[in-house]
Amino acid sequence: MLEVAVIEEPAAAEASLDPIRSRILAALAEPGSAAMLAARLGLPRQKVNYHLKELERHGLVELAEERRKGSVTERVYRATAASYVISPSVLAAVSPDPSRSPDQMSAHWLLALGARLVQEVGTLLTGASRARRQVATFGIDAEVRFATAADRSAFADELAQAVAVLVGRYHDEFAPQGRNHRVVVGLHQVPAQPGARRTAPGPQQVDAGAHAGEPEAGEENRR
């Protein structure tokens, strides 16, 4: 079972968003048959069996084993991943495009960068899985609490300068065996959790993250 699977087909995305099927996917963190799932979820066995077949058709669940019980064969299924992410490529015609309005201070641009990251890394994962290869990536996830908005602005400026220096130091446009990588750095306030006690206004809590991904072996470099 994969830790995370990226859904790239519209039909598979539609199947995963069905309320009953999403419950079945969650229940199949542990393998189970249609009868076992019906008991777990309180649903008719025939309905569960129908949804299982649809999920299997879209590659969201797979056959784990078959058990013989007298003259009956019981099919035991499992989810193909512990969790799923729907790629923006599912809505290709309206998916965010960071090149439309590159504005470092825009939350919408940050979302577009995040959507592109999910789409590109998802494509790499799909190709690597088929080739039984690993994808070389690196991520940073940190939280920093600023005392003032001025501190936040100064932090963003220093971070941008540091990334620019690193990119300039290591980027080699004409390296014969080079591979292009994408580096994304984001800074945003952490949303308050539902039901959490609100603190007095003033200091802000933000999150910063960075990602770099490498294409699977054999993929042509993007220039």
Side-chain angles (χ1 to χ4, degrees):
M1 177 188 290
L2 299 173
E3 183 63 29
V4 181
V6 181
I7 298 174
E8 298 180 300
E9 297 295 329
E14 183 179 359
S16 70
L17 292 172
D18 179 274
I20 292 178
R21 292 173 191 171
S22 63
R23 290 176 62 197
I24 291 174
L25 283 175
L28 283 177
E30 296 181 9
S33 65
M36 294 166 65
L37 289 168
R40 288 180 199 172
L41 302 175
L43 296 169
R45 184 178 180 279
Q46 286 185 331
K47 177 176 285 190
V48 170
N49 200 45
Y50 165 76
H51 288 297
L52 272 174
K53 289 180 179 178
E54 288 299 300
L55 290 169
E56 184 181 24
R57 186 163 68 91
H58 295 296
L60 301 175
V61 305
E62 61 187 4
L63 184 65
E65 61 175 310
E66 291 184 332
R67 301 170 181 168
R68 291 288 298 179
K69 288 190 174 181
S71 60
V72 178
T73 300
E74 183 180 50
R75 294 168 62 86
V76 179
Y77 293 90
R78 66 184 169 208
T80 54
S83 58
Y84 298 86
V85 175
I86 297 177
S87 171
S89 62
V90 169
L91 298 172
V94 291
S95 62
D97 181 359
S99 66
R100 286 187 193 135
S101 54
D103 178 1
Q104 287 183 306
M105 306 304 292
S106 168
H108 295 95
W109 190 58
L110 182 58
L111 279 177
L113 290 177
R116 184 179 63 187
L117 185 149
V118 171
Q119 182 171 339
E120 291 184 345
V121 176
T123 299
L124 290 175
L125 280 173
T126 300
S129 177
R130 290 171 181 162
R132 298 182 181 275
R133 301 290 298 273
Q134 298 246 338
V135 178
T137 61
F138 169 72
I140 295 176
D141 181 23
E143 291 189 17
V144 54
R145 188 174 180 88
F146 297 116
T148 66
D151 285 348
R152 182 185 62 209
S153 179
F155 176 88
D157 288 341
E158 288 186 42
L159 183 60
Q161 291 172 20
V163 171
V165 168
L166 281 173
V167 169
R169 182 184 305 164
Y170 289 99
H171 179 66
D172 188 342
E173 181 69 26
F174 304 105
Q177 303 300 320
R179 290 178 178 275
N180 279 17
H181 289 65
R182 179 91 65 192
V183 178
V184 176
V185 179
L187 183 71
H188 65 85
Q189 187 168 340
V190 178
Q193 296 298 317
R197 295 180 60 184
R198 295 179 63 88
T199 57
Q204 296 186 12
Q205 189 174 31
V206 301
D207 171 80
H211 165 88
E214 177 180 300
E216 63 175 296
E219 182 175 344
E220 293 184 359
N221 294 339
R222 287 172 302 177
R223 295 296 184 186

